[in-house]
Amino acid sequence: MKVTLDDGWTATVTDDPLAFAPRFEGTSVRVGPYLGKAERERFLRDTFGSGAWLWDTPDEVRFDPVRRDLVGVEFQLPHESASAEDSARVPDALTVRPGGLRADQARGFRLEMCSVLCRAPGDAVLTALRDLDVLDEPLEALIGIAPDLALLVQHGTAVGWSLTDPARHLTPWFTAPDPAPPSPATRRLLTECLDLITTPVIDDLTDGEPVALARLRATDEALRAQHEDRHRADALRTLIATLVEDYANQSNNNGE
């Protein structure tokens, strides 16, 4: 099976998925052998594929220059959240086929990040789509390129990705995920944080809506006070850190 990633660039599906566990670092999902900034820079230098350039931040899909096999990915979390009705249209009956990718050509390309995030109840699965038009037709396949991480394929083209049990994979930057299961509090706070960073709540924060500002402050306080599952709580604090810095004290600054 061949899969088009972007701009006519194709890869062949293999039987070898990535063995590394995904690291859900808040605004991105990474899979790769590196656990530090310097290691990541060497990894990008020694591989080819789609990558960031200056202020451009597409999704990163990296391949070994000799074997042309997939060796790592970094997917950006979309900023826009689909409605509950649209999220319910994401099919859940397709079987995930574990597999890797082998580049058909050893050259660079650009993979545009997905534009919309579909959230299953309780955020048990996060599905990022190229656009909502993807849901108008059946998906062809789900390729499990790493544990709990799959590429969505439609008409031979990658149209998105999905992460199962994202709370389990939460981790601060460049840190291996905690092997212990996440606490119920962490799962609840993940949902609250995802609400805060995606539409429509993030628009309310930008507009200074008091209810949204109160939710942000309450979530930040809950994460600071959480003693169990501290590793993942720190990751969630990173997820909303910019919002806290920009908006948490907004009502006080306005003299309210």
Side-chain angles (χ1 to χ4, degrees):
M1 178 181 181
K2 288 190 180 293
V3 176
T4 299
L5 292 187
D6 197 36
D7 194 26
W9 192 95
T10 60
T12 300
V13 178
T14 70
D15 294 326
D16 301 308
L18 297 170
F20 308 104
R23 305 194 302 272
F24 180 24
E25 299 174 352
T27 57
S28 66
V29 177
R30 300 183 198 239
V31 184
Y34 52 86
L35 286 174
K37 184 176 180 181
E39 290 180 21
R40 179 176 185 271
E41 290 174 352
R42 286 194 296 271
F43 173 79
L44 293 175
R45 185 176 61 246
D46 295 341
T47 59
F48 74 91
S50 173
W53 179 256
L54 297 177
W55 295 279
D56 183 39
T57 55
D59 284 341
E60 296 183 1
V61 184
R62 308 298 295 182
F63 296 84
D64 178 271
V66 177
R67 303 186 313 274
R68 302 201 313 273
D69 290 338
L70 180 70
V71 289
V73 300
E74 179 178 338
F75 295 135
Q76 305 298 320
L77 200 70
H79 302 299
E80 181 179 349
S81 227
S83 66
E85 292 78 12
D86 282 328
S87 292
R89 296 167 57 203
V90 176
D92 56 7
L94 275 179
T95 300
V96 176
R97 171 198 165 173
L101 298 174
R102 179 171 295 119
D104 291 336
Q105 293 180 323
R107 65 174 178 85
F109 62 99
R110 187 179 187 281
L111 181 59
E112 185 71 39
M113 65 177 285
C114 291
S115 66
V116 63
L117 181 68
C118 295
R119 298 165 58 186
D123 290 308
V125 181
L126 299 179
T127 302
L129 300 176
R130 182 183 61 194
D131 52 55
L132 285 177
D133 291 344
V134 169
L135 299 177
D136 294 338
E137 298 184 64
L139 292 173
E140 181 180 344
L142 267 66
I143 304 171
I145 58 173
D148 290 334
L149 182 65
L151 279 182
L152 281 63
V153 179
Q154 186 178 71
H155 303 313
T157 298
V159 293
W161 53 267
S162 67
L163 179 65
T164 300
D165 201 5
R168 176 178 291 276
H169 297 287
L170 274 168
T171 185
W173 283 3
F174 300 125
T175 304
D178 190 335
S183 68
T186 297
R187 294 187 183 280
R188 291 193 299 270
L189 287 167
L190 169 61
T191 291
E192 187 65 12
C193 287
L194 289 174
D195 284 348
L196 289 168
I197 68 168
T198 55
T199 51
V201 179
I202 195 169
D203 293 335
D204 292 338
L205 286 171
T206 303
D207 293 339
E209 292 291 337
V211 173
L213 294 172
R215 284 182 66 178
L216 175 61
R217 288 192 291 269
T219 302
D220 182 46
E221 291 169 3
L223 289 170
R224 290 175 183 272
Q226 182 172 323
H227 298 295
E228 60 180 346
D229 212 2
R230 189 66 247 168
H231 189 76
R232 294 184 176 96
D234 288 340
L236 288 175
R237 284 193 64 204
T238 301
L239 176 56
I240 62 170
T242 300
L243 294 179
V244 171
E245 181 179 351
D246 291 346
Y247 302 112
N249 297 318
Q250 183 168 316
S251 59
N252 293 334
N253 294 337
N254 290 338
E256 296 180 8

